[in-house]
Amino acid sequence: MRVADEKDVHRTMERVARESYGRLVAYLSSHTRDVAGAEDALSEALIAALTVWPRDGVPRNPEAWLLTTARHSLIDFIRHQQVVLASEPTLLLFKGNATEATLATKFPDERLKLLFVCAHPAIDPAMHTPLMLQTVLGLDAARIAGAFLIPPKTMGQRLVRAKTKIRDGGIRFEIPQDHELPQRLDAVLEAIYAAFGIGWDDMAGTDQPGRDLTEEAVWLARVLLQLKSEEAEVRGLLALMLHCEARRSARRGPKGQYVPLSEHDPEQWSLPLIEEAERHLAEAAKHGRSGRFQLEAAIQSVHAERARSGRIDWAAIALFYGHVIRISPTLGTRTGYAAAIAEAKGPEAGLAVLDAMELDLASGYQPYWAVRAHLLQRLGKMPEALDANHRAIGLTEDPAVREFLLQKRF
């Protein structure tokens, strides 16, 4: 070890929390079956690091140090609860499993395992994705709540209840058998995509935490594909995310200004990622089982075609969105459908789709108001367009997108 200054300690802790928090929790809880307890132990280890590392130096392997410290904390807790005999198998597992070699080989499987555990049918289905986002990927309740359009306090309370149910219900930490996968796989896919979306929305995916999260989601999809290569929707999800990743560099102008997809320079798109996405989508189609992620990937595939043809087939995009809505009628898909219909059939048709949506549900959804403002502007309804644009601006957290909306002329 070497003596480290305070800045070095905090930089290291931020990196570990960003890159390894979920894997550490997954490893600890895979043996104890107590997600909340694992998080508490890891929090104690991070607090201990704030005292020890400035004094003794940052360890050569900070993740291993934290895992060892958290493991000792869990063992002490078990002993304190006077259940040593009942927990002896767990203690024995802990005593020999914290080598660096184990860390390198166990984490990917352990994280995937925990994803499926969080999708256990005994847990409220509505909490599958939030639980995975916090437990496996280390996101806080506020970021998760933002993705679900609910208050952070409400999300935090729901997460606590879900973790308590895991612990008290004795839910087993194991990957389901093949015959159990269908009832859990969809939830795992949803969580991976939700993680990707949160990372994508964090400063449009250009800041490092956002980039890390999107890359982590793609990595998890690749690991899942190794496990279930015959599942078409796994390939569909991977294709969808790769198509989006291919356009990352085109999302911002030279001064960081927001560039909408319709104005992207296709020469800035990553051709290798597009080609890989197309291969996965084509392979998924061979199974003859169309699903939400394949359809959404097909939408992105149509957009990618602009790099070759110079045009966008909005009728095809609207058709694909129509199929997606029948499977997953979310605010996002319905808003996307409205935008596509407007391009294919005119702004009146698109506005009619928006008008058919429940306003109380869409009231806090920024894309709804941004699309509505655009369509009203095209129809020459300037006062209403201005009002909708103000609503969109008020709901926008990305400074570049806010500036883009502020510069619109009505």
Side-chain angles (χ1 to χ4, degrees):
M1 293 185 181
R2 62 178 178 82
V3 176
D5 61 30
E6 187 174 346
K7 289 184 178 179
D8 190 18
V9 169
H10 282 280
R11 280 195 300 267
T12 302
M13 291 188 67
E14 288 176 0
R15 178 188 63 79
V16 173
R18 185 176 65 245
E19 298 177 0
S20 303
Y21 180 89
R23 288 195 288 269
L24 290 167
V25 171
Y27 186 82
L28 291 164
S29 59
S30 68
H31 295 304
T32 64
R33 304 178 187 176
D34 184 356
V35 177
E39 290 184 326
D40 290 343
L42 183 55
S43 294
E44 291 181 12
L46 288 167
I47 292 172
L50 287 173
T51 301
V52 176
W53 291 2
R55 183 190 67 211
D56 298 342
V58 175
R60 185 169 60 87
N61 190 326
E63 289 84 355
W65 189 97
L66 289 170
L67 180 63
T68 299
T69 303
R71 190 179 68 252
H72 289 161
S73 177
L74 282 172
I75 292 173
D76 289 342
F77 176 77
I78 292 173
R79 287 173 174 156
H80 181 70
Q81 294 296 316
Q82 298 182 344
V83 292
V84 177
L85 292 178
S87 303
E88 187 173 358
T90 297
L91 294 173
L92 291 175
L93 278 172
F94 276 147
K95 286 182 178 179
N97 283 339
T99 65
E100 294 175 18
T102 300
L103 287 173
T105 59
K106 291 283 284 183
F107 274 176
D109 288 341
E110 293 299 320
R111 297 195 81 182
L112 191 58
K113 179 193 294 186
L114 195 55
L115 282 175
F116 279 103
V117 168
C118 293
H120 195 286
I123 301 171
D124 179 4
M127 291 307 300
H128 286 163
T129 292
L131 194 59
M132 293 180 205
L133 291 174
Q134 186 178 71
T135 302
V136 183
L137 293 167
L139 302 185
D140 59 36
R143 290 180 77 191
I144 299 170
F148 286 81
L149 305 178
I150 64 174
K153 182 178 180 180
T154 301
M155 178 58 72
Q157 292 170 340
R158 292 177 183 177
L159 284 163
V160 169
R161 287 196 295 269
K163 292 172 189 177
T164 300
K165 186 166 186 176
I166 290 176
R167 182 191 62 213
D168 296 346
I171 297 173
R172 294 180 59 82
F173 280 70
E174 60 186 12
I175 295 178
Q177 299 298 315
D178 284 346
H179 70 276
E180 297 175 302
L181 275 177
Q183 63 179 331
R184 301 195 191 191
L185 182 60
D186 286 348
V188 172
L189 294 174
E190 291 287 348
I192 293 174
Y193 187 45
F196 182 86
I198 292 172
W200 193 250
D201 289 339
D202 284 351
M203 296 297 291
T206 57
D207 70 331
Q208 191 57 43
R211 180 182 294 272
D212 289 343
L213 190 55
T214 56
E215 290 177 351
E216 188 73 3
V218 172
W219 178 83
L220 284 169
R222 293 190 189 281
V223 173
L224 184 56
L225 183 60
Q226 294 174 15
L227 178 68
K228 299 299 293 180
S229 60
E230 75 282 4
E231 290 290 344
E233 275 293 81
V234 177
R235 290 190 183 275
L237 174 61
L238 184 53
L240 170 58
M241 295 190 295
L242 290 174
H243 266 306
C244 294
E245 281 288 280
R247 300 194 293 265
R248 179 194 294 276
S249 62
R251 301 183 72 202
R252 287 290 191 261
K255 296 182 179 180
Q257 64 268 35
Y258 169 72
V259 181
L261 176 55
S262 61
E263 298 178 18
H264 279 196
D265 177 4
E267 291 188 1
Q268 293 184 319
W269 295 348
S270 170
L271 185 58
L273 287 180
I274 291 174
E275 290 176 342
E276 183 186 357
E278 289 297 307
R279 289 195 298 272
H280 285 299
L281 191 55
E283 189 65 30
K286 294 179 182 179
H287 295 277
R289 299 190 302 275
S290 181
R292 172 196 168 189
F293 293 114
Q294 294 171 73
L295 290 166
E296 292 200 26
I299 292 171
Q300 301 308 320
S301 178
V302 176
H303 280 294
E305 180 64 17
R306 181 160 67 89
R308 186 186 66 82
S309 68
R311 58 182 294 273
I312 301 174
D313 187 347
W314 286 107
I317 290 177
L319 179 64
F320 284 130
Y321 263 123
H323 289 302
V324 175
I325 288 174
R326 283 192 280 274
I327 298 172
S328 178
T330 65
L331 286 174
T333 56
R334 293 163 71 185
T335 302
Y337 178 63
I341 284 291
E343 294 294 335
K345 299 182 178 181
E348 297 93 341
L351 194 61
V353 175
L354 293 180
D355 287 340
M357 296 170 62
E358 300 85 349
L359 186 57
D360 58 335
L361 295 178
S363 62
Y365 187 56
Q366 189 271 358
Y368 170 90
W369 293 104
V371 172
R372 188 175 188 85
H374 176 66
L375 298 186
L376 287 168
Q377 182 184 27
R378 287 179 60 185
L379 290 170
K381 299 181 178 181
M382 298 310 176
E384 296 174 67
L386 184 60
D387 179 66
N389 194 58
H390 283 163
R391 295 284 293 269
I393 291 170
L395 293 166
T396 301
E397 296 183 2
D398 186 334
V401 176
R402 185 181 299 112
E403 183 63 25
F404 173 81
L405 294 173
L406 284 168
Q407 292 179 358
K408 278 186 166 293
R409 296 291 183 262
F410 290 94

